[in-house]
């Protein structure tokens, strides 16, 4: 069956467009200028997270027009719609960040509801900022209609007095400014040049990490997730995606045929290999959950442990996404990992071919030093490490990319804060001490609510020159731009009585990123005694979206998901 001979007897849109009873429905479509032929073709949802909040998303609506041309050229009828996104760079460092992780679920839910309500047959989903990428991919595997993911592309690097800069430099400049190492004029100049174009944050932060994951999982066309937002080649990828989704309908290739356990392991391997964002350890389990696949924080950490670190990418390295794309793109990373046995080549992708077949003609580029061969890594284990111990029985995560080998173990007394704001104030006023382990708790999925990122605090520490002189742990999250000894996703979270909520100032904490442990020097009896005396904290959120999120969200260990997932499903939308 080709895209020109597709019939509707197995497609969801038959409920809207076929038969005499659907004459009222068709009248709405005629009202928008569709022809009879277009009405009886497959209806393809083209979903974007476009908004005017930040450069991450600003080009998505324009790029969507190229997707629609591709769908139409392959005899489909594109139907464009938008969903929300919360941009972390704007939400960072204040209460707005409580909306960020919750927005991932709203994106997935709203795309699902739009697709279900209008009976669309396939989905091309476009996203730019951190949570919008996994949110869009979660909707794809949840719906299980033929789907292709498209990243809006990364921002170009800025230039500050001849040196390349990213928004990471600006967050760290706040720390420099707080200790007098940068004056008002320099800070003002830097903020005006750090972000010179459309696109998501340019280094291996969360957006580029999850973009890489989309190609590694097989949900995105090869090379498409690496091209910067301003590059005109993006329109070629977008048009190709519109055409290819029609082929997926014809061949009935669905997201759950693509996103398997092996594909998820491929995505985790790319995160580890490039020193990607710790947030991937939250988002990959959430995507797996939508498929009904068990793949939690510990499974992700196992892949991290066996994968070499080969990508010299910021924040731990020297290069940004633009450099990687020009060196050979994400297929270059996958090629060397596959050649040396670190990714599975037999996984199906949206090209209709396997990962190995996609990589067959990719040639190693020995004229670049952005990515090293997998048999000559910067370190034999990944740039992100899973931790476990009596302080985190459900696990935790830390990014070690760029850290010196002799700085991978840290022991110090706890200094406890019950909100990020309290800790940021202490950092800003320099009332903490070298050698301490700063503890930010009650910032988990339920306790925040919303599991905020702590970039403002961690970047300020680095800007003060204290990034390797203190450690920081939290039941919240860190931005992909965070560097230094910063441990996130500590579980169980404080709000449910986890050990992090039982700590007192002065308790000795040891973080060992070599052996993968995190512990507090307290006996089981002492922890049990403190747990018996512990009382839950009241939240300020008693209604609204964030309250609703807190009622249903689960642990970070399982991806902070809010519904039973694919394992409890009776029938996927694609089979209506």
């Amino acid at each position: 069956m080709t895209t020109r001979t597709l019939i509707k007897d197995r497609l969801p849109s038959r409920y809207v467009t076929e038969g005499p009873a659907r004459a009222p429905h068709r009248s709405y479509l005629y009202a928008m200028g569709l022809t009879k032929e277009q009405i009886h073709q497959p209806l393809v949802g083209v979903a974007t997270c476009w908004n005017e909040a930040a450069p991450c998303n600003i080009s998505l609506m324009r790029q969507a027009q190229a997707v629609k041309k591709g769908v139409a050229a392959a005899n489909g009828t594109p139907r464009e719609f938008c969903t929300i996104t919360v941009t972390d760079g704007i939400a960072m460092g204040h209460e707005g960040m409580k909306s960020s992780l919750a927005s991932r679920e709203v994106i997935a839910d709203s795309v699902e509801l739009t697709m279900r309500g209008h009976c669309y047959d396939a989905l091309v989903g476009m996203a730019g900022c951190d949570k919008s990428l996994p949110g869009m991919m979660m909707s794809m595997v949840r719906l299980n209609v033929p789907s292709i993911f498209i990243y809006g592309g990364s921002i170009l690097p800025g230039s500050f007095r001849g040196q390349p800069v990213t928004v990471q430099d600006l967050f760290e400049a706040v720390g420099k400014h707080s200790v007098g190492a940068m004056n008002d004029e320099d800070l003002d100049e830097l903020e005006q040049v750090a972000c010179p174009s459309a696109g998501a944050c340019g280094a291996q932060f969360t957006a580029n990490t999850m973009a890489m994951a989309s190609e590694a999982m097989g949900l995105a066309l090869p090379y498409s997730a690496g091209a910067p937002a301003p590059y005109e080649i993006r329109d070629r990828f977008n048009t190709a995606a519109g055409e290819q989704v029609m082929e997926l309908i014809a061949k009935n290739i669905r997201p759950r045929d693509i996103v398997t356990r092996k594909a998820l392991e491929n995505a985790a391997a790319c995160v580890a290999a490039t020193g990607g964002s710790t947030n991937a350890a939250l988002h990959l389990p959430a995507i797996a959950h939508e498929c009904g696949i068990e793949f939690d924080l510990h499974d992700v950490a196992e892949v991290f442990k066996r994968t070499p670190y080969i990508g010299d990418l910021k924040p731990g390295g020297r290069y940004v996404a633009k450099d990687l794309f020009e060196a050979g793109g994400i297929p270059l990373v996958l090629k060397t990992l596959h050649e040396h046995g670190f990714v599975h080549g037999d996984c199906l992708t949206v090209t209709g071919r396997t990962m190995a077949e996609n990589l067959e003609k990719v040639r190693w580029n020995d004229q670049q030093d952005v990515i090293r061969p997998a048999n000559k890594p910067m370190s034999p284990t990944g740039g992100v490490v899973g931790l476990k111990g009596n302080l985190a029985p459900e696990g935790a995560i830390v990014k070690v990319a760029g850290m010196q080998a002799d700085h991978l173990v840290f022991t110090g007394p706890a200094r406890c804060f019950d909100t990020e704001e309290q800790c940021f104030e202490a950092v800003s006023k320099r009332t903490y001490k070298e050698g301490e382990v700063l503890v930010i708790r009650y910032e988990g999925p339920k306790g925040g609510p919303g599991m905020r990122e702590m970039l403002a605090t961690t970047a300020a520490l680095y800007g003060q020159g204290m990034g390797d002189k203190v450690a920081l742990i939290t039941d919240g999250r860190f931005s992909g731009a965070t560097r230094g000894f910063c441990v996130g996703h500590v579980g169980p979270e404080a709000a449910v009585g986890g050990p992090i909520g039982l700590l007192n100032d002065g308790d000795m904490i040891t973080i060992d990123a070599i052996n993968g442990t995190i512990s507090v020097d307290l006996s089981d009896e002492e922890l049990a005694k403190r747990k018996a005396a512990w009382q839950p904290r009241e939240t300020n959120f008693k209604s609204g979206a964030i309250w609703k999120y807190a009622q249903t969200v689960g642990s970070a260990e399982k991806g902070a998901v809010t519904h039973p997932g694919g394992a409890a499903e009776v029938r996927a939308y694609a089979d209506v």
Side-chain angles (χ1 to χ4, degrees), residues 29 48 100 104 126 149 185 233 283 320 324 455 479 490 552 560:
L29 300 178
T48 77
S100 172
R104 184 190 72 179
M126 308 178 71
F149 177 80
E185 292 75 18
I233 197 173
H283 300 323
V320 296
L324 174 58
L455 176 60
S479 165
V490 172
T552 57

mmCIF file of all heavy atoms in Angstrom, residues 29 48 100 104 126 149 185 233 283 320 324 455 479 490 552 560:
data_model
loop_
_atom_site.group_PDB
_atom_site.id
_atom_site.type_symbol
_atom_site.label_atom_id
_atom_site.label_comp_id
_atom_site.label_asym_id
_atom_site.label_seq_id
_atom_site.Cartn_x
_atom_site.Cartn_y
_atom_site.Cartn_z
ATOM 1 N N LEU A 29 -14.906 21.023 7.924
ATOM 2 C CA LEU A 29 -13.664 20.947 7.158
ATOM 3 C C LEU A 29 -13.777 21.741 5.860
ATOM 4 O O LEU A 29 -12.843 22.430 5.456
ATOM 5 C CB LEU A 29 -13.308 19.486 6.883
ATOM 6 C CG LEU A 29 -13.108 18.618 8.149
ATOM 7 C CD1 LEU A 29 -12.810 17.171 7.772
ATOM 8 C CD2 LEU A 29 -11.999 19.172 9.027
ATOM 9 N N THR A 48 2.965 21.782 17.510
ATOM 10 C CA THR A 48 4.160 22.515 17.919
ATOM 11 C C THR A 48 3.972 23.074 19.325
ATOM 12 O O THR A 48 2.852 23.281 19.783
ATOM 13 C CB THR A 48 4.484 23.691 16.975
ATOM 14 O OG1 THR A 48 3.606 24.791 17.256
ATOM 15 C CG2 THR A 48 4.368 23.293 15.522
ATOM 16 N N SER A 100 7.494 23.892 35.563
ATOM 17 C CA SER A 100 8.260 23.314 34.464
ATOM 18 C C SER A 100 7.978 21.834 34.254
ATOM 19 O O SER A 100 7.531 21.422 33.175
ATOM 20 C CB SER A 100 9.755 23.532 34.702
ATOM 21 O OG SER A 100 10.516 22.830 33.754
ATOM 22 N N ARG A 104 5.420 19.188 31.303
ATOM 23 C CA ARG A 104 5.670 17.981 30.498
ATOM 24 C C ARG A 104 4.411 17.137 30.399
ATOM 25 O O ARG A 104 4.036 16.652 29.327
ATOM 26 C CB ARG A 104 6.806 17.165 31.120
ATOM 27 C CG ARG A 104 7.235 15.944 30.325
ATOM 28 C CD ARG A 104 8.198 15.063 31.114
ATOM 29 N NE ARG A 104 7.518 14.344 32.193
ATOM 30 C CZ ARG A 104 8.118 13.495 33.033
ATOM 31 N NH1 ARG A 104 9.427 13.279 32.933
ATOM 32 N NH2 ARG A 104 7.425 12.872 33.968
ATOM 33 N N MET A 126 6.640 18.823 17.148
ATOM 34 C CA MET A 126 7.793 19.712 17.112
ATOM 35 C C MET A 126 7.941 20.393 18.467
ATOM 36 O O MET A 126 6.968 20.939 19.006
ATOM 37 C CB MET A 126 7.618 20.756 16.012
ATOM 38 C CG MET A 126 7.277 20.140 14.666
ATOM 39 S SD MET A 126 7.024 21.383 13.372
ATOM 40 C CE MET A 126 8.715 21.951 13.145
ATOM 41 N N PHE A 149 9.215 12.766 15.463
ATOM 42 C CA PHE A 149 9.559 13.890 16.326
ATOM 43 C C PHE A 149 10.522 14.822 15.590
ATOM 44 O O PHE A 149 11.447 14.358 14.906
ATOM 45 C CB PHE A 149 10.222 13.417 17.623
ATOM 46 C CG PHE A 149 10.660 14.555 18.498
ATOM 47 C CD1 PHE A 149 9.756 15.222 19.298
ATOM 48 C CD2 PHE A 149 11.980 14.990 18.485
ATOM 49 C CE1 PHE A 149 10.149 16.298 20.079
ATOM 50 C CE2 PHE A 149 12.387 16.057 19.262
ATOM 51 C CZ PHE A 149 11.463 16.723 20.060
ATOM 52 N N GLU A 185 28.615 46.853 34.146
ATOM 53 C CA GLU A 185 28.730 47.098 32.719
ATOM 54 C C GLU A 185 29.038 45.818 31.952
ATOM 55 O O GLU A 185 28.473 45.559 30.877
ATOM 56 C CB GLU A 185 29.814 48.152 32.443
ATOM 57 C CG GLU A 185 29.465 49.553 32.922
ATOM 58 C CD GLU A 185 29.577 49.713 34.444
ATOM 59 O OE1 GLU A 185 30.242 48.860 35.094
ATOM 60 O OE2 GLU A 185 28.984 50.669 34.976
ATOM 61 N N ILE A 233 18.715 24.332 6.345
ATOM 62 C CA ILE A 233 18.564 22.893 6.125
ATOM 63 C C ILE A 233 17.467 22.310 6.995
ATOM 64 O O ILE A 233 16.934 21.235 6.709
ATOM 65 C CB ILE A 233 19.909 22.159 6.370
ATOM 66 C CG1 ILE A 233 19.873 20.751 5.758
ATOM 67 C CG2 ILE A 233 20.241 22.108 7.867
ATOM 68 C CD1 ILE A 233 21.188 20.025 5.809
ATOM 69 N N HIS A 283 13.301 11.673 32.210
ATOM 70 C CA HIS A 283 12.449 11.655 31.017
ATOM 71 C C HIS A 283 12.439 10.309 30.297
ATOM 72 O O HIS A 283 11.396 9.901 29.768
ATOM 73 C CB HIS A 283 12.897 12.745 30.049
ATOM 74 C CG HIS A 283 12.826 14.124 30.625
ATOM 75 N ND1 HIS A 283 11.819 14.519 31.484
ATOM 76 C CD2 HIS A 283 13.644 15.201 30.485
ATOM 77 C CE1 HIS A 283 12.012 15.777 31.833
ATOM 78 N NE2 HIS A 283 13.118 16.211 31.242
ATOM 79 N N VAL A 320 29.713 23.220 21.506
ATOM 80 C CA VAL A 320 28.260 23.332 21.580
ATOM 81 C C VAL A 320 27.628 22.526 20.447
ATOM 82 O O VAL A 320 28.324 21.941 19.618
ATOM 83 C CB VAL A 320 27.804 24.810 21.520
ATOM 84 C CG1 VAL A 320 28.305 25.578 22.729
ATOM 85 C CG2 VAL A 320 28.265 25.481 20.223
ATOM 86 N N LEU A 324 28.963 20.140 17.051
ATOM 87 C CA LEU A 324 28.719 18.721 16.844
ATOM 88 C C LEU A 324 28.063 18.474 15.492
ATOM 89 O O LEU A 324 28.454 17.564 14.748
ATOM 90 C CB LEU A 324 27.837 18.162 17.965
ATOM 91 C CG LEU A 324 27.372 16.710 17.789
ATOM 92 C CD1 LEU A 324 28.556 15.763 17.646
ATOM 93 C CD2 LEU A 324 26.479 16.285 18.954
ATOM 94 N N LEU A 455 19.619 25.615 38.886
ATOM 95 C CA LEU A 455 20.732 26.204 38.141
ATOM 96 C C LEU A 455 21.175 27.546 38.719
ATOM 97 O O LEU A 455 22.375 27.838 38.755
ATOM 98 C CB LEU A 455 20.358 26.370 36.667
ATOM 99 C CG LEU A 455 21.406 27.062 35.791
ATOM 100 C CD1 LEU A 455 22.717 26.291 35.790
ATOM 101 C CD2 LEU A 455 20.899 27.249 34.366
ATOM 102 N N SER A 479 19.531 21.783 36.189
ATOM 103 C CA SER A 479 19.552 22.075 34.765
ATOM 104 C C SER A 479 20.651 21.274 34.092
ATOM 105 O O SER A 479 21.648 20.898 34.731
ATOM 106 C CB SER A 479 19.812 23.572 34.565
ATOM 107 O OG SER A 479 20.179 23.839 33.230
ATOM 108 N N VAL A 490 17.292 12.938 44.511
ATOM 109 C CA VAL A 490 17.462 12.100 45.703
ATOM 110 C C VAL A 490 16.092 11.584 46.139
ATOM 111 O O VAL A 490 15.158 12.358 46.373
ATOM 112 C CB VAL A 490 18.127 12.896 46.835
ATOM 113 C CG1 VAL A 490 18.124 12.099 48.121
ATOM 114 C CG2 VAL A 490 19.557 13.277 46.449
ATOM 115 N N THR A 552 -1.112 13.486 42.049
ATOM 116 C CA THR A 552 -0.964 12.275 41.241
ATOM 117 C C THR A 552 0.478 11.902 40.908
ATOM 118 O O THR A 552 0.732 10.771 40.493
ATOM 119 C CB THR A 552 -1.737 12.428 39.916
ATOM 120 O OG1 THR A 552 -1.265 13.588 39.221
ATOM 121 C CG2 THR A 552 -3.233 12.575 40.178
ATOM 122 N N ALA A 560 8.701 10.409 37.618
ATOM 123 C CA ALA A 560 7.752 11.434 38.067
ATOM 124 C C ALA A 560 6.536 11.478 37.151
ATOM 125 O O ALA A 560 6.153 12.529 36.639
ATOM 126 C CB ALA A 560 8.421 12.807 38.164
#
